[in-house]
Amino acid sequence: LSSAASDVYKRQVLTPEYGKLRVLARGVRRVKSKLAGGIELFSVSEVAFIKGRGEIDTLVSTRLVKHYGHIVHDLERTMTAYECIKQLNRITEDEAEAAYFTLLQQAFGALDNATIPLPLVTVWFAAQLLRLGGFTPNLQTDSKGKKLQPGEGYDFSFESVCFDASSGQGRFTAEHIKFLRLLFAGHQPAALVKVQGGDRLVQAILPLVTTMRQTYLQV
């Protein structure tokens, strides 16, 4: 976000070492600026900064490492990238662990790849937020400890954080649960896109995982 001064910018950046930082970038528009090009949105950069006395630090230099430039060529992917940043920002403290940096970098990589369907990226990102937040559902047994069985129909119990049988009338089958296991195991979207029938499975479980995210993480 730019400040009132046209050559002074305030940014919030996510780092693997220091978590979330609020930094001040001065002189970005100068021809010889050491910051120009290194604070692009949807990018990974190496940054050097001076620790401030308050909550805002000062950027000294930046070097662009990777820019996921294809994201902005598609409005829906751009808005999804913004939403990923927003959700992650809301659930993490300033001292966010390095795993969140890695997650956001992987999300940008998936959104940058037009061959990976957007709904898959969305459900994958939500699952990873839940996993990192300690809300991985029990995908092995029901609330009574009975192993989930092929051929059964299940519904999800938000109270028990697991699936329960519904006399065979549940919306979710073993096929859905297997895909959820892959999601919560941390497999990347580029690998998940190869799952046979993946588009159909994603459409079926996306509302569930979204509701889990909203219920357990409040985002």
Side-chain angles (χ1 to χ4, degrees):
L1 298 176
S2 61
S3 69
S6 61
D7 206 28
V8 180
Y9 292 82
K10 291 181 181 179
R11 290 284 191 271
Q12 180 167 283
V13 297
L14 181 64
T15 72
E17 296 91 354
Y18 304 100
K20 292 188 291 189
L21 297 176
R22 297 167 182 84
V23 297
L24 196 66
R26 300 179 183 274
V28 174
R29 296 186 178 181
R30 297 172 188 170
V31 176
K32 296 183 179 180
S33 172
K34 294 182 180 180
L35 306 180
I39 52 174
E40 295 288 339
L41 191 62
F42 310 143
S43 297
V44 176
S45 299
E46 292 181 354
V47 302
F49 64 94
I50 298 174
K51 192 67 178 175
R53 294 183 179 180
E55 295 182 351
I56 300 180
D57 306 319
T58 301
L59 278 181
V60 176
S61 65
T62 64
R63 185 179 72 84
L64 185 65
V65 175
K66 173 68 176 179
H67 178 52
Y68 299 95
H70 292 106
I71 294 177
V72 297
H73 295 163
D74 184 285
L75 180 59
E76 287 188 316
R77 288 178 180 269
T78 300
M79 297 308 296
T80 300
Y82 277 120
E83 186 61 26
C84 289
I85 294 172
K86 179 181 176 181
Q87 291 174 12
L88 192 149
N89 185 50
R90 289 184 61 183
I91 68 171
T92 56
E93 303 294 334
D94 286 350
E95 295 78 21
E97 58 185 274
Y100 287 102
F101 173 88
T102 301
L103 172 59
L104 191 57
Q105 185 177 10
Q106 291 170 342
F108 286 167
L111 290 168
D112 201 55
N113 185 346
T115 66
I116 299 178
L118 191 54
L120 174 58
V121 181
T122 301
V123 74
W124 169 83
F125 187 79
Q128 305 322 302
L129 288 182
L130 286 162
R131 181 175 63 84
L132 291 176
F135 293 100
T136 298
N138 177 359
L139 300 171
Q140 304 299 328
T141 61
D142 63 18
S143 58
K144 298 179 180 179
K146 182 180 178 181
K147 188 175 180 180
L148 301 178
Q149 298 294 326
E152 286 280 3
Y154 294 93
D155 282 320
F156 188 76
S157 169
F158 285 89
E159 182 178 354
S160 303
V161 199
C162 65
F163 285 93
D164 277 325
S166 303
S167 301
Q169 301 301 313
R171 295 174 296 161
F172 301 101
T173 66
E175 191 179 21
H176 297 115
I177 294 170
K178 286 179 181 178
F179 194 81
L180 284 166
R181 288 171 182 164
L182 294 176
L183 270 181
F184 282 94
H187 291 281
Q188 295 298 300
L192 294 171
V193 78
K194 300 176 183 178
V195 175
Q196 187 174 5
D199 289 346
R200 172 178 51 81
L201 295 172
V202 167
Q203 291 299 328
I205 66 174
L206 180 55
L208 170 63
V209 178
T210 298
T211 304
M212 290 172 61
R213 189 203 73 217
Q214 294 168 342
T215 301
Y216 301 130
L217 300 178
Q218 301 295 302
V219 294

